[in-house]
Structure formats: structure tokens, C-alpha cells
Amino acid sequence: MKKTLLTLAVSISGLLAASNAGAVLVSVSGPTSSIGGSAEIIAAPPNADDDAAFNTGIQGFNEAIGVLLAADLMVDGGPIAAGMRIDSHMIFLNSGPGDSNQRIDHGTGAGFQGGVEFTFDGMVLGVMSDGIGQLEFNSTPLLGAAGTTYPAGTFTARGMEGNPLDGLFNNDWYSFSGNTITLGMEVTEPGDWIRVVTVSQVPLPATLPLLGGALGLMGFLRWRRQRRLA
């Protein structure tokens, strides 16, 4: 009986892992930055503060997965409606702690060769990119990555300082369609941080009844074992 319970527990653990297996950044492509850095997908860092997470090219990481919105969520241009199940992802470019003289252009500038393109497993619903990072800051308690420390407040140039799409791409910009976002960032210190919200692909509503049944079966088997021992 103990072996049966252990096997069932492992199965439930696998079910929980499978329910969170989706909701990811799928791929990234684009030119190198002005200092030779490549765009990358990384694991969520333990510290995402301005002076703790830095790079030589635009990077992205996954944050919260399968969040059911209890209220409207504000993004650039308006709200995402309550009732949606969403995932969040952070995309950033930061030149390093206190390095105010290091300028990095990635997908921007006079030598523009195209933006950096991130592809997700779900459709992009919206972006939080306002200059001081207010939208991002407001949503971090709900959408931040578990175990990651974020800045304690907003600050100047935390988000994008401009989105001109003027043909020169000489500042910060983005556009999205379907499950991709294309963007460029120009930074010194501090860098640019934006949050991207996508439709969640985690099948939580389908797996929860199965999980509940499995847990009930575990309880029943444990009760039978205790009754036999009594």
C-alpha cells in the first residue's frame, strides 16, 4: 500500500509539473547589439533590480504563469479584461551598475538592421513600457517571477523613453502581432525594462478536476490502510 501511495504521489507531482510546462518564451532572433551582445532567453534571475541584472544585449525571461485576472489589468493603451488567464514575461537591456557612460543600441540607431523578435507560445495581449515603469511596478505583486527581487519603486527611464517608429528607429520602440513582439532599445544607465503579457496556454481548468480526483483517491487509500491496521 505504501508503494501505491508513493506512486500516486509521484504521479500527482508530475501532473502539477505538466500543468506549468507551457507559458514560455519560445525563441528569439535578431541582430547583435552595438557592443556585440546577442539577444537571449534566460532563467528568471534571483535579483532583477537595476544594478543587479545587466547584459550586453536584450534578454527576456518568464515570470508568472497561468494567472486568472480578477480585475482589469492596465497595459499600454488600455486594459486587459478581467477573466483572462495570462502569463507574464520581462524583457530588458541594462548596461551595468553605475556605468552611465556605456551606451548600448540593440535594434535601434543609424545602423539599424531590424529589431529583436521574441516569440511566445501564446498571443501577445499587451505591453507595459511607460517611462518610469509605473505599470510594471503596479503589476509586479501579481505578475513578478516567484523568488525574484524587483526594484522597490519606480524611477526615471525604467521603461521606454520613446516609441517613435519614425523610420530611423533611433530610440526605444516595439510592435507586436500574434504571438511575437519586435523591439529595439537604446540605453545608458539605467536600462529599459518592459513586461509583456500573453494568453496563457496552461490547461489548468482541465487538470484541476483530475488532480482533485487523485487527491481524493489518496485519502481513501490512506483511510483503508489505517482501518486495516486498527
Side-chain angles (χ1 to χ4, degrees):
M1 182 63 68
K2 183 181 291 186
K3 184 176 180 181
T4 301
L5 290 173
L6 177 61
T7 300
L8 189 54
V10 171
S11 298
I12 291 174
S13 176
L15 177 61
L16 286 171
S19 71
N20 289 280
V24 296
L25 280 155
V26 174
S27 65
V28 62
S29 62
T32 57
S33 72
S34 60
I35 60 172
S38 298
E40 295 180 306
I41 297 171
I42 63 172
N47 193 338
D49 206 348
D50 176 50
D51 286 341
F54 48 93
N55 46 32
T56 59
I58 293 174
Q59 294 178 320
F61 60 88
N62 298 307
E63 298 184 292
I65 293 173
V67 176
L68 181 62
L69 293 180
D72 290 356
L73 178 70
M74 289 302 301
V75 295
D76 298 351
I80 297 173
M84 292 288 295
R85 188 175 293 279
I86 64 169
D87 307 323
S88 64
H89 320 268
M90 183 67 71
I91 295 176
F92 75 104
L93 179 62
N94 188 33
S95 59
D99 193 359
S100 59
N101 294 319
Q102 177 66 73
R103 171 175 163 173
I104 307 176
D105 295 283
H106 204 170
T108 64
F112 175 73
Q113 298 177 350
V116 173
E117 183 177 277
F118 286 91
T119 301
F120 306 86
D121 69 345
M123 184 177 68
V124 178
L125 294 173
V127 178
M128 302 174 187
S129 73
D130 58 295
I132 64 171
Q134 188 71 60
L135 294 175
E136 176 211 328
F137 175 71
N138 289 348
S139 65
T140 289
L142 178 67
L143 300 181
T148 296
T149 299
Y150 288 84
T154 61
F155 51 83
T156 302
R158 176 171 171 171
M160 288 183 159
E161 292 75 69
N163 182 21
L165 289 175
D166 57 3
L168 298 177
F169 297 94
N170 60 359
N171 206 330
D172 306 323
W173 65 278
Y174 74 84
S175 63
F176 64 85
S177 177
N179 64 341
T180 64
I181 181 171
T182 307
L183 70 153
M185 292 178 172
E186 176 187 283
V187 305
T188 51
E189 173 72 14
D192 291 338
W193 303 74
I194 66 173
R195 175 165 285 138
V196 181
V197 179
T198 60
V199 175
S200 181
Q201 302 301 299
V202 176
L204 287 177
T207 59
L208 282 178
L210 178 60
L211 176 60
L215 290 173
L217 179 58
M218 281 189 69
F220 173 70
L221 291 173
R222 185 177 291 110
W223 172 79
R224 282 189 59 188
R225 182 170 181 269
Q226 292 172 345
R227 185 179 180 186
R228 285 180 180 177
L229 294 175

